[in-house]
Amino acid sequence: SLYSLAIALASEEQCDVAEVMKLHKQYGDHLYKKCDFAGAIRQYASTIGFVQPSYVIRRFLDTQKIDSLTLYLERLHEHGMASTEHTTLLLSCYTRMKDDDKLARFIEGGTARRGVSGDSRTASTADMSGGVTFDVEVALRTLQEAGYVEHALQLAQQHSEHEWFLKIELERDSPSYTNALLYLNGLVDRVQDADQADAPALDEVVALVVKYGRLLLPHLPEELVGMLTRLVGDGGAPAEEFLLMFVDHTDWLRPFLASVFKSSMSGQSDRVPSAQVTNTLLELTLADWGRLSGQLDAVGRAAAARPQEAGSMQQEVVELRAAMAVQEDAVMQLLDQPRATYDEAHALLLMQMYGFREGEHFLLERTQSVDLLLRRYVEAGDDRAILRLLRRGGGKLPGL
């Protein structure tokens, strides 16, 4: 009671603030010694901004005093005096107390800030609406480590911490790949809407898709390819940025590139795929054709070795030839597309490597490599093609 009287008199006489704070601290020490921890923490809370928080916190680290410690840490945040360590400690108190209500209020009512590198406290002021000010990344890390994943996801989404949201979602014990993809799709939608003030930058979204798309690809390949096609066609992202995502899933790289190529060639997108994209698509298509060609050769050898079974293999031969024809058309459409850009020398090397003669002849004609083209026709015994070439080019090259 004497301490209370002294504080009241000092305030009435308008004594120096430091002297008043000294009285509050002494009163708090007195109450602490009497084990009146609730009363002590109220006095210590009055000294915020004058007494070092570490002096108070050290006294209340025992589990039995967690309620008082929590109260003091809340007051620190309300005054905008909390460091990143204080935020970590406060959230740890909430999680240890399993106080979901306070945790939810902290997340929903607080004002997030980022700490300054090398300084655990920022100059941010307290939220004047009555909430608290805290470092959002520290809060996210603490919530994730404590197992409060849903709270962490809510906080990340609330403050547009896109990478944190994806990281937490995909690192949880039972990740929701669908939820992560929906979040990325939302970012892609917002990139396309330039009128939105909070629209993320294209570079940021591309980096997130590259980093986390690799984790989504094995689980939602078709949906991810659709999103990537949209990001390239409508969002303007360069398709080559995503090639490395498919290193372990090349079976989905061709559908992605083919979709991008088709969208561009049909005029749905003004962006023309780069030579790297077209070269890669060409090689993947030839690889599929080569695989079918190898299977057809294997069936032919089997039929020759077992003539009695040749009839039963005929249907397989028909199906393989039909599939090869589809791949051949795809290769020729790539080569003959006026808007397509590709490295002709590289493309010619691919045709020769896979033994795709139709494509090789097309490129030799396009590059006017008449001597080499004539040699190919002679090797193939194609007299009609030889005569056609001589009629067309003989006037310019009488040496033929």
Side-chain angles (χ1 to χ4, degrees), residues 158-210:
Q158 183 176 319
H159 295 287
S160 297
E161 289 288 345
H162 308 310
E163 179 152 13
W164 269 103
F165 182 94
L166 294 165
K167 177 178 183 293
I168 293 168
E169 182 61 81
L170 294 173
E171 287 182 357
R172 65 195 303 182
D173 293 337
S174 299
S176 172
Y177 299 105
T178 301
N179 196 30
L181 184 61
L182 284 173
Y183 192 86
L184 281 175
N185 262 310
L187 295 181
V188 172
D189 290 339
R190 288 162 60 192
V191 162
Q192 298 168 23
D193 189 354
D195 295 333
Q196 286 194 23
D198 62 342
L202 176 61
D203 290 348
E204 180 186 4
V205 175
V206 168
L208 289 171
V209 170
V210 169

Side-chain angles (χ1 to χ4, degrees), residues 45 48 70-82 87 90 94 102 105-106 109-111 113 124-134:
I48 290 175
T70 302
L71 176 64
Y72 181 76
L73 292 169
E74 288 173 342
R75 296 295 179 270
L76 277 177
H77 282 81
E78 289 168 7
H79 284 77
M81 303 294 291
T87 299
L90 177 57
Y94 287 156
K102 279 195 172 183
R105 287 200 298 272
F106 181 90
T111 299
R113 59 167 167 76
S124 300
T125 59
D127 177 16
M128 298 310 292
S129 64
V132 296
T133 304
F134 62 93

